[in-house]
Amino acid sequence: MSRGVLAVISGFSGAGKGTLMKRLTRDYDNYALSVSMTTRAPREGERDGIEYFFVDTETFKERIQQGRMLEYACYCGNYYGTPKDYVQEQLKAGRNVILEIEIQGALQIRKLMPDCLLLFVTPPSAAQLKSRLEGRGTESPEVIAKRLARAVEESEGIEAYDYIVINDDLEECVKQIHSMVQNARYTPARQETLIKEIRGELNGFSKGAE
């Protein structure tokens, strides 16, 4: 069994990242959504280990010191981050782990796990991004302007990603992401067991021919 792929998905607000992840895990087997860890209190209906892993601040800081967080940040007095051991367990079991995160967090993860797959989701054009944000009908013009300004900053980091995913046709986009993840499973770094087996057999053949 080959090791799973950690696919880190980033993208502009309004690009459809959440919808893509839901469809990917619905349409294909062997995917696991990464579960974040936080020090904030659970909200009504949230379950530990499902929506988040809920821990106290002391525990979270200990995990940071022990190198057990792939990435983390502090927002409004609470810590949020990705637990390394949970991701590693899923990958070792052969599952592909999908993690949605902003660019800074994605680059943190790339430093710790160089073989992760970085995917950046975007609409076909900036005009469509603006249209999607306006089409939600849930945000004020001021908030939309802030999201577009943030998108300008995020666009400066796109070159660090392995693939750009253009979310124009949802069905086709989901298929493309799945194909990218499946192809990544066959890189030599994720096929160590197969490589060792082949080398062992070849060495046996070689010795038998002597």
Side-chain angles (χ1 to χ4, degrees):
M1 179 176 60
S2 64
R3 180 178 171 82
V5 174
L6 172 59
V8 181
I9 297 181
S10 306
F12 304 123
S13 175
K17 301 182 295 297
T19 301
L20 285 171
M21 291 171 65
K22 289 178 182 177
R23 289 296 294 270
L24 187 67
T25 54
R26 188 199 75 177
D27 294 351
Y28 298 97
D29 295 329
N30 210 33
Y31 282 91
L33 293 178
S34 175
V35 180
S36 296
M37 183 171 287
T38 183
T39 59
R40 74 163 173 78
R43 293 170 183 158
E44 185 176 353
E46 289 183 334
R47 298 152 294 174
D48 184 55
I50 305 298
E51 282 76 22
Y52 285 94
F53 292 112
F54 295 99
V55 299
D56 57 34
T57 302
E58 182 179 353
T59 299
F60 199 105
K61 289 183 176 180
E62 286 178 354
R63 293 181 66 92
I64 294 173
Q65 294 173 351
Q66 295 165 354
R68 297 173 63 195
M69 301 299 295
L70 284 177
E71 57 79 32
Y72 65 91
C74 188
Y75 298 105
C76 301
N78 288 310
Y79 282 95
Y80 297 83
T82 303
K84 185 176 181 179
D85 45 5
Y86 174 79
V87 171
Q88 293 283 19
E89 287 171 6
Q90 299 299 316
L91 295 176
K92 188 176 180 180
R95 300 186 186 91
N96 301 314
V97 179
I98 307 298
L99 169 61
E100 179 188 347
I101 200 169
E102 40 73 44
I103 287 181
Q104 288 76 16
L107 297 182
Q108 283 185 47
I109 292 174
R110 169 53 65 82
K111 289 180 180 179
L112 292 174
M113 299 183 67
D115 65 344
C116 70
L117 186 66
L118 299 187
L119 307 177
F120 192 91
V121 179
T122 178
S125 68
Q128 283 203 30
L129 177 64
K130 183 173 182 290
S131 177
R132 290 183 188 183
L133 289 171
E134 293 172 341
R136 287 176 172 178
T138 58
E139 298 169 336
S140 67
E142 291 77 17
V143 171
I144 292 174
K146 287 181 180 179
R147 294 195 182 279
L148 290 173
R150 174 61 178 162
V152 173
E153 298 175 6
E154 291 174 329
S155 69
E156 296 298 324
I158 295 177
E159 288 85 354
Y161 283 71
D162 297 307
Y163 295 103
I164 293 177
V165 179
I166 300 175
N167 188 11
D168 189 12
D169 181 292
L170 178 61
E171 299 292 338
E172 185 61 28
C173 194
V174 170
K175 291 179 182 178
Q176 287 177 356
I177 293 176
H178 177 64
S179 179
M180 292 171 184
V181 173
Q182 289 301 105
N183 288 338
R185 291 182 70 100
Y186 293 96
T187 59
R190 296 188 182 88
Q191 295 289 335
E192 291 180 357
T193 301
L194 176 63
I195 292 170
K196 288 179 181 178
E197 290 176 353
I198 290 175
R199 282 178 178 160
E201 290 179 5
L202 289 173
N203 285 328
F205 296 153
S206 178
K207 290 178 181 179
E210 292 177 355

PDB file of all heavy atoms in Angstrom, residues 19 52 67 78 81 97 124 133 137 142 148 165-166 169 171 174 178 181-182 185 191 194 204:
ATOM      1  N   THR A  19     -16.555  24.061  -1.502  1.00  0.00           N
ATOM      2  CA  THR A  19     -17.430  23.236  -2.341  1.00  0.00           C
ATOM      3  C   THR A  19     -16.636  22.139  -3.036  1.00  0.00           C
ATOM      4  O   THR A  19     -17.065  20.980  -3.109  1.00  0.00           O
ATOM      5  CB  THR A  19     -18.127  24.102  -3.401  1.00  0.00           C
ATOM      6  OG1 THR A  19     -18.898  25.119  -2.744  1.00  0.00           O
ATOM      7  CG2 THR A  19     -19.057  23.254  -4.265  1.00  0.00           C
ATOM      8  N   TYR A  52     -13.242  20.120  15.113  1.00  0.00           N
ATOM      9  CA  TYR A  52     -11.918  20.511  15.600  1.00  0.00           C
ATOM     10  C   TYR A  52     -11.461  19.528  16.657  1.00  0.00           C
ATOM     11  O   TYR A  52     -12.268  18.792  17.238  1.00  0.00           O
ATOM     12  CB  TYR A  52     -11.944  21.903  16.262  1.00  0.00           C
ATOM     13  CG  TYR A  52     -12.041  23.077  15.330  1.00  0.00           C
ATOM     14  CD1 TYR A  52     -13.282  23.638  15.011  1.00  0.00           C
ATOM     15  CD2 TYR A  52     -10.896  23.664  14.790  1.00  0.00           C
ATOM     16  CE1 TYR A  52     -13.375  24.739  14.176  1.00  0.00           C
ATOM     17  CE2 TYR A  52     -10.982  24.773  13.960  1.00  0.00           C
ATOM     18  CZ  TYR A  52     -12.220  25.302  13.658  1.00  0.00           C
ATOM     19  OH  TYR A  52     -12.305  26.386  12.822  1.00  0.00           O
ATOM     20  N   GLY A  67       7.252  20.178  18.354  1.00  0.00           N
ATOM     21  CA  GLY A  67       7.264  20.037  16.901  1.00  0.00           C
ATOM     22  C   GLY A  67       6.128  19.197  16.368  1.00  0.00           C
ATOM     23  O   GLY A  67       6.266  18.549  15.324  1.00  0.00           O
ATOM     24  N   ASN A  78      -6.919  33.119  20.493  1.00  0.00           N
ATOM     25  CA  ASN A  78      -7.012  31.652  20.434  1.00  0.00           C
ATOM     26  C   ASN A  78      -6.062  31.099  19.385  1.00  0.00           C
ATOM     27  O   ASN A  78      -5.846  31.716  18.337  1.00  0.00           O
ATOM     28  CB  ASN A  78      -8.440  31.205  20.094  1.00  0.00           C
ATOM     29  CG  ASN A  78      -9.395  31.414  21.248  1.00  0.00           C
ATOM     30  OD1 ASN A  78      -9.121  31.005  22.368  1.00  0.00           O
ATOM     31  ND2 ASN A  78     -10.511  32.056  20.969  1.00  0.00           N
ATOM     32  N   GLY A  81      -4.412  25.471  14.477  1.00  0.00           N
ATOM     33  CA  GLY A  81      -3.319  24.863  13.743  1.00  0.00           C
ATOM     34  C   GLY A  81      -3.636  23.456  13.280  1.00  0.00           C
ATOM     35  O   GLY A  81      -4.721  22.913  13.546  1.00  0.00           O
ATOM     36  N   VAL A  97      -4.951  13.166   2.338  1.00  0.00           N
ATOM     37  CA  VAL A  97      -5.454  14.165   3.281  1.00  0.00           C
ATOM     38  C   VAL A  97      -5.614  15.501   2.571  1.00  0.00           C
ATOM     39  O   VAL A  97      -4.678  15.985   1.927  1.00  0.00           O
ATOM     40  CB  VAL A  97      -4.510  14.319   4.487  1.00  0.00           C
ATOM     41  CG1 VAL A  97      -5.040  15.390   5.444  1.00  0.00           C
ATOM     42  CG2 VAL A  97      -4.355  12.992   5.215  1.00  0.00           C
ATOM     43  N   PRO A 124     -11.673  31.687 -13.404  1.00  0.00           N
ATOM     44  CA  PRO A 124     -10.936  31.945 -14.645  1.00  0.00           C
ATOM     45  C   PRO A 124     -10.389  33.370 -14.765  1.00  0.00           C
ATOM     46  O   PRO A 124      -9.433  33.606 -15.498  1.00  0.00           O
ATOM     47  CB  PRO A 124     -11.982  31.680 -15.738  1.00  0.00           C
ATOM     48  CG  PRO A 124     -12.986  30.793 -15.088  1.00  0.00           C
ATOM     49  CD  PRO A 124     -13.036  31.223 -13.663  1.00  0.00           C
ATOM     50  N   LEU A 133     -18.198  37.102  -5.562  1.00  0.00           N
ATOM     51  CA  LEU A 133     -18.290  37.717  -4.236  1.00  0.00           C
ATOM     52  C   LEU A 133     -19.542  38.581  -4.130  1.00  0.00           C
ATOM     53  O   LEU A 133     -20.238  38.560  -3.115  1.00  0.00           O
ATOM     54  CB  LEU A 133     -17.041  38.560  -3.959  1.00  0.00           C
ATOM     55  CG  LEU A 133     -15.742  37.780  -3.718  1.00  0.00           C
ATOM     56  CD1 LEU A 133     -14.552  38.729  -3.676  1.00  0.00           C
ATOM     57  CD2 LEU A 133     -15.831  36.983  -2.423  1.00  0.00           C
ATOM     58  N   GLY A 137     -24.470  37.965  -2.084  1.00  0.00           N
ATOM     59  CA  GLY A 137     -25.517  38.780  -1.483  1.00  0.00           C
ATOM     60  C   GLY A 137     -25.496  38.828   0.034  1.00  0.00           C
ATOM     61  O   GLY A 137     -26.472  39.214   0.668  1.00  0.00           O
ATOM     62  N   GLU A 142     -18.019  47.144   1.319  1.00  0.00           N
ATOM     63  CA  GLU A 142     -16.757  47.359   2.037  1.00  0.00           C
ATOM     64  C   GLU A 142     -16.030  46.028   2.286  1.00  0.00           C
ATOM     65  O   GLU A 142     -14.812  45.938   2.121  1.00  0.00           O
ATOM     66  CB  GLU A 142     -17.023  48.067   3.363  1.00  0.00           C
ATOM     67  CG  GLU A 142     -17.487  49.509   3.242  1.00  0.00           C
ATOM     68  CD  GLU A 142     -18.948  49.628   2.855  1.00  0.00           C
ATOM     69  OE1 GLU A 142     -19.679  48.617   2.991  1.00  0.00           O
ATOM     70  OE2 GLU A 142     -19.357  50.716   2.417  1.00  0.00           O
ATOM     71  N   LEU A 148     -11.107  41.581  -1.970  1.00  0.00           N
ATOM     72  CA  LEU A 148     -10.390  41.769  -3.231  1.00  0.00           C
ATOM     73  C   LEU A 148      -8.986  42.309  -2.981  1.00  0.00           C
ATOM     74  O   LEU A 148      -8.029  41.920  -3.670  1.00  0.00           O
ATOM     75  CB  LEU A 148     -11.175  42.715  -4.155  1.00  0.00           C
ATOM     76  CG  LEU A 148     -12.478  42.140  -4.723  1.00  0.00           C
ATOM     77  CD1 LEU A 148     -13.255  43.215  -5.478  1.00  0.00           C
ATOM     78  CD2 LEU A 148     -12.189  40.956  -5.647  1.00  0.00           C
ATOM     79  N   VAL A 165      -5.525  25.502 -10.047  1.00  0.00           N
ATOM     80  CA  VAL A 165      -6.791  24.833 -10.348  1.00  0.00           C
ATOM     81  C   VAL A 165      -7.801  25.910 -10.722  1.00  0.00           C
ATOM     82  O   VAL A 165      -8.181  26.740  -9.886  1.00  0.00           O
ATOM     83  CB  VAL A 165      -7.303  24.033  -9.129  1.00  0.00           C
ATOM     84  CG1 VAL A 165      -8.628  23.362  -9.463  1.00  0.00           C
ATOM     85  CG2 VAL A 165      -6.267  22.997  -8.694  1.00  0.00           C
ATOM     86  N   ILE A 166      -8.227  25.927 -11.973  1.00  0.00           N
ATOM     87  CA  ILE A 166      -9.184  26.931 -12.435  1.00  0.00           C
ATOM     88  C   ILE A 166     -10.595  26.391 -12.244  1.00  0.00           C
ATOM     89  O   ILE A 166     -11.022  25.465 -12.939  1.00  0.00           O
ATOM     90  CB  ILE A 166      -8.936  27.292 -13.911  1.00  0.00           C
ATOM     91  CG1 ILE A 166      -7.525  27.861 -14.071  1.00  0.00           C
ATOM     92  CG2 ILE A 166      -9.974  28.298 -14.395  1.00  0.00           C
ATOM     93  CD1 ILE A 166      -7.128  28.149 -15.503  1.00  0.00           C
ATOM     94  N   ASP A 169     -15.772  24.925 -14.273  1.00  0.00           N
ATOM     95  CA  ASP A 169     -16.770  23.862 -14.293  1.00  0.00           C
ATOM     96  C   ASP A 169     -16.517  22.966 -13.083  1.00  0.00           C
ATOM     97  O   ASP A 169     -15.470  22.318 -12.997  1.00  0.00           O
ATOM     98  CB  ASP A 169     -16.642  23.062 -15.593  1.00  0.00           C
ATOM     99  CG  ASP A 169     -17.665  21.941 -15.693  1.00  0.00           C
ATOM    100  OD1 ASP A 169     -17.572  20.976 -14.903  1.00  0.00           O
ATOM    101  OD2 ASP A 169     -18.553  22.034 -16.551  1.00  0.00           O
ATOM    102  N   GLU A 171     -17.696  20.044 -11.901  1.00  0.00           N
ATOM    103  CA  GLU A 171     -17.475  18.615 -12.101  1.00  0.00           C
ATOM    104  C   GLU A 171     -16.080  18.350 -12.663  1.00  0.00           C
ATOM    105  O   GLU A 171     -15.363  17.455 -12.205  1.00  0.00           O
ATOM    106  CB  GLU A 171     -18.542  18.051 -13.044  1.00  0.00           C
ATOM    107  CG  GLU A 171     -19.973  18.174 -12.544  1.00  0.00           C
ATOM    108  CD  GLU A 171     -20.232  17.277 -11.343  1.00  0.00           C
ATOM    109  OE1 GLU A 171     -19.481  16.293 -11.175  1.00  0.00           O
ATOM    110  OE2 GLU A 171     -21.164  17.563 -10.587  1.00  0.00           O
ATOM    111  N   VAL A 174     -13.263  19.025 -10.029  1.00  0.00           N
ATOM    112  CA  VAL A 174     -13.115  17.957  -9.047  1.00  0.00           C
ATOM    113  C   VAL A 174     -12.325  16.799  -9.647  1.00  0.00           C
ATOM    114  O   VAL A 174     -11.435  16.228  -9.006  1.00  0.00           O
ATOM    115  CB  VAL A 174     -14.497  17.467  -8.556  1.00  0.00           C
ATOM    116  CG1 VAL A 174     -14.359  16.208  -7.716  1.00  0.00           C
ATOM    117  CG2 VAL A 174     -15.176  18.558  -7.744  1.00  0.00           C
ATOM    118  N   HIS A 178      -8.601  15.341  -8.355  1.00  0.00           N
ATOM    119  CA  HIS A 178      -8.422  13.918  -8.058  1.00  0.00           C
ATOM    120  C   HIS A 178      -7.285  13.345  -8.898  1.00  0.00           C
ATOM    121  O   HIS A 178      -6.456  12.566  -8.401  1.00  0.00           O
ATOM    122  CB  HIS A 178      -9.708  13.157  -8.330  1.00  0.00           C
ATOM    123  CG  HIS A 178      -9.602  11.683  -8.121  1.00  0.00           C
ATOM    124  ND1 HIS A 178      -9.336  11.115  -6.892  1.00  0.00           N
ATOM    125  CD2 HIS A 178      -9.686  10.638  -9.008  1.00  0.00           C
ATOM    126  CE1 HIS A 178      -9.271   9.801  -7.015  1.00  0.00           C
ATOM    127  NE2 HIS A 178      -9.482   9.487  -8.284  1.00  0.00           N
ATOM    128  N   VAL A 181      -3.901  14.452  -7.512  1.00  0.00           N
ATOM    129  CA  VAL A 181      -3.557  13.718  -6.283  1.00  0.00           C
ATOM    130  C   VAL A 181      -3.136  12.295  -6.615  1.00  0.00           C
ATOM    131  O   VAL A 181      -2.152  11.778  -6.075  1.00  0.00           O
ATOM    132  CB  VAL A 181      -4.749  13.725  -5.299  1.00  0.00           C
ATOM    133  CG1 VAL A 181      -4.454  12.817  -4.103  1.00  0.00           C
ATOM    134  CG2 VAL A 181      -5.037  15.144  -4.818  1.00  0.00           C
ATOM    135  N   GLN A 182      -3.880  11.630  -7.514  1.00  0.00           N
ATOM    136  CA  GLN A 182      -3.552  10.252  -7.880  1.00  0.00           C
ATOM    137  C   GLN A 182      -2.174  10.165  -8.534  1.00  0.00           C
ATOM    138  O   GLN A 182      -1.399   9.245  -8.258  1.00  0.00           O
ATOM    139  CB  GLN A 182      -4.618   9.683  -8.823  1.00  0.00           C
ATOM    140  CG  GLN A 182      -5.951   9.423  -8.136  1.00  0.00           C
ATOM    141  CD  GLN A 182      -5.802   8.434  -6.975  1.00  0.00           C
ATOM    142  OE1 GLN A 182      -5.826   8.819  -5.811  1.00  0.00           O
ATOM    143  NE2 GLN A 182      -5.627   7.175  -7.300  1.00  0.00           N
ATOM    144  N   ARG A 185       0.673  10.225  -6.059  1.00  0.00           N
ATOM    145  CA  ARG A 185       0.875   8.990  -5.297  1.00  0.00           C
ATOM    146  C   ARG A 185       1.984   8.125  -5.888  1.00  0.00           C
ATOM    147  O   ARG A 185       2.540   7.264  -5.209  1.00  0.00           O
ATOM    148  CB  ARG A 185      -0.416   8.170  -5.216  1.00  0.00           C
ATOM    149  CG  ARG A 185      -1.505   8.792  -4.362  1.00  0.00           C
ATOM    150  CD  ARG A 185      -2.722   7.880  -4.306  1.00  0.00           C
ATOM    151  NE  ARG A 185      -2.455   6.679  -3.526  1.00  0.00           N
ATOM    152  CZ  ARG A 185      -2.841   6.501  -2.258  1.00  0.00           C
ATOM    153  NH1 ARG A 185      -3.475   7.469  -1.621  1.00  0.00           N
ATOM    154  NH2 ARG A 185      -2.576   5.382  -1.626  1.00  0.00           N
ATOM    155  N   GLN A 191       6.645   5.708  -3.032  1.00  0.00           N
ATOM    156  CA  GLN A 191       6.666   4.302  -3.442  1.00  0.00           C
ATOM    157  C   GLN A 191       7.923   3.600  -2.928  1.00  0.00           C
ATOM    158  O   GLN A 191       8.497   2.736  -3.595  1.00  0.00           O
ATOM    159  CB  GLN A 191       6.596   4.208  -4.974  1.00  0.00           C
ATOM    160  CG  GLN A 191       5.290   4.714  -5.566  1.00  0.00           C
ATOM    161  CD  GLN A 191       4.119   3.790  -5.280  1.00  0.00           C
ATOM    162  OE1 GLN A 191       4.308   2.598  -5.057  1.00  0.00           O
ATOM    163  NE2 GLN A 191       2.906   4.325  -5.294  1.00  0.00           N
ATOM    164  N   LEU A 194       7.702  -0.295  -2.744  1.00  0.00           N
ATOM    165  CA  LEU A 194       7.801  -0.923  -4.062  1.00  0.00           C
ATOM    166  C   LEU A 194       9.237  -0.893  -4.565  1.00  0.00           C
ATOM    167  O   LEU A 194       9.742  -1.897  -5.106  1.00  0.00           O
ATOM    168  CB  LEU A 194       6.883  -0.214  -5.055  1.00  0.00           C
ATOM    169  CG  LEU A 194       6.955  -0.697  -6.511  1.00  0.00           C
ATOM    170  CD1 LEU A 194       6.512  -2.144  -6.608  1.00  0.00           C
ATOM    171  CD2 LEU A 194       6.099   0.196  -7.404  1.00  0.00           C
ATOM    172  N   GLY A 204      18.600 -10.357  -6.064  1.00  0.00           N
ATOM    173  CA  GLY A 204      18.504 -11.807  -6.025  1.00  0.00           C
ATOM    174  C   GLY A 204      18.774 -12.414  -7.384  1.00  0.00           C
ATOM    175  O   GLY A 204      19.492 -13.406  -7.513  1.00  0.00           O
TER     176      GLY A 204
END
